Amino acid sequence: MAQTFDVVVIGAGPGGYIAAVRAAQLGFKVACIEGWKNAKGELALGGTCLNVGCIPSKALLSSSEEYEKVGHHLEDHGIAVSGVKLDLAKMQGRKETIVTKMTKGIEFLFKKNKIAWLQGFGKFVSGGASYRIAVGNETVEAKYVIVATGSRARHLPGITVDNDLVCDNEGALAFPSVPRRLGVIGAGVIGLELGSVWRRLGSEVTILEALPNFLGACDEAVSKEAWKQFTRQGLAISLGVKIGKVTAKKSGITVEYNDKDGAAQKLECDRLIVSVGRVPNTDGLGADAVGLKVDPRGFIEVDGHCKTNLPNVYAIGDVVRGPMLAHKAEDEGVMVAELIAGQKPHIDYDTIPWIIYTSPEIAWVGKSEQQAKAAGLTVKTGQFPFSINGRALGLNEPTGFVKIVADAATDRVLGMHIIHSRASDLIQEGVTTMEFAGAAEDIARIVHGHPTLAEVVREAALNVDKRSLNS
Ligand code: NAI
């Protein structure tokens, strides 16, 4: 007899495990299928985000930030430091400890919520009134299925990723030593974040980007400032390149490419990161066996509520349309569990924040000034720098600004854009304001604690009406 469940979730990344927890909270009998094995060969919950994505990268980002700070930025505070030494093995060990704590935390959540962890990879066998799903040699049955199988790094034809010399996000988080020369293909989120980590730890970093524009998804004011900061820090970024042959030998890697003017160039490096986007994990899912619709790029087709073409089958996170962000996947997981329970949840896809954990960080929500204008909207904008904020000066973090894009007629906030070392936390004020359909004046009239970085958000809101108080 096959084990039967009300809800089977395929995948235990941030989308899947949260969906499983919420479904269990709502009283369903839930199983979650996950067969991820970590570098030690142990089964682990948490998917890309916890094992080889958000969590380990942020651990290394913080460690490398501390290293750079101690090495270069404490003198301004009157603190002289000498003999700073890097113990990369210890730094990597700290990262692993955090990852283990987080992934074990999900095991705890599963036990607490009586969620069965089915160890292996799930594959649809048959549909109908209920779905049969194979996991290894076992088959389970469920009325509802939530597919949360995530994504994997996209690789380029002709470039073999061995995760030793040529790496995607997985290998790039586990270098055993700091490469003297690091090459990166793709100046997107991963390329910039990991390029920043290894630059701070001492690598000479060169990033090769196919598009002619830098950080095209950001507001232009932010991408310009980011370009200025990153190149000043020593990241060498070439735009508009066309990658050719890559030859990888232990003695060094050669990347042949044409620069923006079409001239043939060569990059010599010791390790190479390929970070050119991600592809959804739908092969091996048995979609054909049940007639689950998958688009030509491999994404499962869903509506605004993550419903697939099959009754009672939902898909969430990186495997469906929309940004490949853990928090988007989590919210879709909650929404789907609540829909199955007959509730009426909703996600506002226009208020999903983006954060790039570089130094300084970049965060935004809603439309850039350029996007708003392209959409035919008449806008007014307000901008305020951190360089004249007392708290930012005290922190020795004066770089960057907050920019607010508001509708010229209604004053409603259409977007907020921040570049600053604490942008990831500050952006939430913009998300909350937009979720409540707030106006720039609403932010301007809210009391903001002093002295805080959040005062810059308020000053930017005041600046929408050109009435900043401190400039
Ligand atoms: P990405 O889409 O952010 O950037 C890829 C970059 O590679 C683009 O700029 C693209 O133009 C460039 N590219 C594509 N083909 C190329 C080629 N042949 N030669 C040179 N450049 C090429 O993708 P990335 O950085 O791999 O990250 C994948 C996804 O993971 C992101 O879109 C994001 O959703 C997610 N992520 C989010 C993070 C966060 O929220 N902080 C952190 C890391 C990843």
Side-chain angles (χ1 to χ4, degrees):
M1 261 303 270
Q3 282 195 81
T4 61
F5 297 91
D6 300 318
V7 180
V8 163
V9 183
I10 309 179
Y17 93 76
I18 287 288
V21 168
R22 186 71 188 119
Q25 282 178 346
L26 290 163
F28 293 108
K29 185 183 175 194
V30 182
C32 185
I33 303 175
E34 179 58 80
W36 179 289
K37 284 201 177 133
N38 64 21
K40 287 180 237 151
E42 300 158 349
L43 281 154
L45 298 169
T48 298
C49 169
L50 276 83
N51 289 284
V52 289
C54 318
I55 299 303
S57 65
K58 261 81 264 176
L60 284 187
L61 275 156
S62 292
S63 296
S64 62
E65 206 171 292
E66 298 297 344
Y67 178 69
E68 186 171 60
K69 199 184 267 179
V70 172
H72 301 284
H73 300 306
L74 290 184
E75 271 182 22
D76 292 347
H77 288 269
I79 304 168
V81 184
S82 60
V84 179
K85 270 202 284 193
L86 175 68
D87 182 343
L88 184 60
K90 192 161 182 185
M91 197 179 274
Q92 295 283 22
R94 171 183 176 273
K95 176 200 79 180
E96 287 308 323
T97 306
I98 294 169
V99 167
T100 305
K101 189 168 181 181
M102 297 293 294
T103 55
K104 293 283 175 202
I106 306 177
E107 285 183 36
F108 162 79
L109 286 175
F110 277 15
K111 281 193 193 117
K112 181 180 159 200
N113 289 285
K114 302 192 174 44
I115 297 162
W117 175 9
L118 308 175
Q119 300 182 337
F121 291 100
K123 183 173 182 172
F124 282 104
V125 177
S126 62
S130 66
Y131 293 88
R132 290 172 71 86
I133 298 163
V135 190
N137 297 326
E138 207 190 331
T139 301
V140 294
E141 219 168 287
K143 177 157 187 210
Y144 298 96
V145 182
I146 304 173
V147 182
T149 45
S151 63
R152 62 183 181 280
R154 183 167 83 86
H155 293 168
L156 292 172
I159 303 180
T160 308
V161 172
D162 59 4
N163 270 323
D164 176 17
L165 292 178
V166 181
C167 301
D168 55 25
N169 59 301
E170 299 201 20
L173 285 164
F175 291 158
S177 59
V178 178
R180 189 171 70 75
R181 300 163 307 171
L182 174 65
V184 179
I185 302 183
V189 184
I190 293 178
L192 289 171
E193 288 188 1
L194 291 178
S196 298
V197 165
W198 294 107
R199 181 200 59 74
R200 286 181 203 151
L201 296 179
S203 299
E204 279 168 30
V205 179
T206 306
I207 307 184
L208 302 175
E209 165 61 46
L211 291 176
N213 301 326
F214 181 59
L215 282 177
C218 296
D219 188 274
E220 272 175 24
V222 170
S223 48
K224 262 192 207 151
E225 178 67 20
W227 175 270
K228 196 169 96 188
Q229 296 302 331
F230 298 161
T231 50
R232 186 180 285 168
Q233 289 161 5
L235 285 181
I237 310 169
S238 295
L239 302 175
V241 309
K242 190 168 182 337
I243 302 293
K245 198 170 155 208
V246 172
T247 317
K249 293 191 190 133
K250 279 267 177 246
S251 54
I253 303 163
T254 307
V255 181
E256 294 174 35
Y257 67 96
N258 289 96
D259 67 18
K260 64 176 182 1
D261 303 316
Q265 304 284 358
K266 269 187 193 170
L267 169 70
E268 306 282 350
C269 52
D270 304 305
R271 287 189 198 264
L272 180 68
I273 300 176
V274 181
S275 47
V276 292
R278 300 182 63 82
V279 289
N281 287 326
T282 37
D283 355 324
L285 186 61
D288 287 348
V290 285
L292 178 65
K293 264 198 191 164
V294 175
D295 78 13
R297 293 184 307 148
F299 290 96
I300 296 175
E301 291 186 10
V302 289
D303 68 9
H305 281 113
C306 295
K307 287 185 181 160
T308 68
N309 64 310
L310 299 176
N312 300 339
V313 177
Y314 297 81
I316 60 172
D318 287 9
V319 82
V320 303
R321 84 282 174 269
M324 289 182 164
L325 298 171
H327 43 280
K328 175 254 192 189
E330 286 180 22
D331 276 42
E332 287 182 335
V334 170
M335 173 174 75
V336 161
E338 292 179 353
L339 281 171
I340 291 171
Q343 298 182 3
K344 293 192 167 52
H346 169 74
I347 292 176
D348 184 351
Y349 284 93
D350 291 332
T351 59
I352 294 175
W354 277 85
I355 302 155
I356 308 181
Y357 290 87
T358 39
S359 172
E361 295 176 352
I362 295 169
W364 73 93
V365 58
K367 289 187 170 52
S368 67
E369 182 179 349
Q370 298 74 37
Q371 286 166 341
K373 285 180 175 164
L377 297 162
T378 309
V379 299
K380 47 186 183 170
T381 63
Q383 195 168 312
F384 200 84
F386 285 93
S387 58
I388 48 175
N389 168 266
R391 178 82 171 130
L393 291 173
L395 287 165
N396 203 19
E397 300 284 2
T399 303
F401 57 81
V402 175
K403 176 172 174 179
I404 293 177
V405 181
D407 187 286
T410 63
D411 196 39
R412 184 170 169 169
V413 175
L414 303 172
M416 186 183 286
H417 309 269
I418 308 179
I419 177 162
H420 184 260
S421 62
R422 297 289 173 260
S424 54
D425 292 319
L426 293 168
I427 196 61
Q428 200 57 36
E429 183 165 2
V431 176
T432 307
T433 304
M434 287 185 61
E435 191 60 46
F436 287 107
E441 189 181 353
D442 292 324
I443 300 177
R445 289 197 180 278
I446 291 170
V447 179
H448 285 65
H450 173 78
T452 61
L453 299 171
E455 288 174 290
V456 178
V457 176
R458 185 196 205 181
E459 289 280 8
L462 283 163
N463 189 242
V464 169
D465 276 331
K466 305 301 162 228
R467 58 187 183 99
S468 296
L469 295 165
N470 283 288
S471 69

